[in-house]
Amino acid sequence: MTMNLRERVTTTFQKRIANPVMRRMPFQTLLETTGRVSGKPRRTPLDGRREGNTFWFVSEFGEKSDYVKNIKADPRVRVRLRGTWHSGTAHLVPEDDAQARLRSLPRFNSFGVRTFGTNLLTIRVDLDD
């Protein structure tokens, strides 16, 4: 799978500038996966919406995203919501209408994913608590 120019630019910006800054913000929502190669925790800033014991979000590059590859290798994840960590199990939901899902999520995240996304994929995390 090769990345197009938009994906390369967006990914480089996120990995080198946006994500390191956002990970330091105490109330930024984070997804923690286990690296499929390294076995180390990998934290990705994102946004979504909690509905009861379920957390929903949309991946902008679908199965090309490293955190989606990590989820496929090990679906056990943690999500930091409002500064508190929650364990859960992530599920890829390709049958969900990702565009409709984006309309139900916080606007700031939806704008970025809609603007830069090339292969939208809904992800549901069933939280343990």
Side-chain angles (χ1 to χ4, degrees), residues 67-79:
Y67 67 82
V68 173
K69 293 175 186 176
N70 291 343
I71 288 169
K72 288 174 75 173
D74 181 358
R76 294 296 302 161
V77 300
R78 292 193 321 150
V79 180

Side-chain angles (χ1 to χ4, degrees), residues 48-94:
R49 178 162 311 224
R50 183 175 184 167
E51 297 173 357
N53 284 339
T54 304
F55 179 73
W56 293 92
F57 67 99
V58 175
S59 168
E60 61 195 329
F61 300 127
E63 295 193 26
K64 290 183 181 179
S65 295
D66 285 333
Y67 67 82
V68 173
K69 293 175 186 176
N70 291 343
I71 288 169
K72 288 174 75 173
D74 181 358
R76 294 296 302 161
V77 300
R78 292 193 321 150
V79 180
R80 187 176 76 179
L81 301 168
R82 296 186 177 109
T84 302
W85 285 101
H86 305 270
S87 297
T89 304
H91 305 274
L92 308 183
V93 191

Side-chain angles (χ1 to χ4, degrees), residues 77-128:
V77 300
R78 292 193 321 150
V79 180
R80 187 176 76 179
L81 301 168
R82 296 186 177 109
T84 302
W85 285 101
H86 305 270
S87 297
T89 304
H91 305 274
L92 308 183
V93 191
E95 65 276 8
D96 189 66
D97 181 345
Q99 291 287 350
R101 181 70 57 191
L102 276 175
R103 288 190 290 276
S104 74
L105 299 179
R107 286 179 170 254
F108 181 74
N109 176 255
S110 298
F111 173 78
V113 172
R114 230 182 2 259
T115 301
F116 301 109
T118 57
N119 189 21
L120 303 180
L121 174 64
T122 300
I123 300 174
R124 181 188 82 234
V125 178
D126 296 331
L127 303 171
D128 295 339

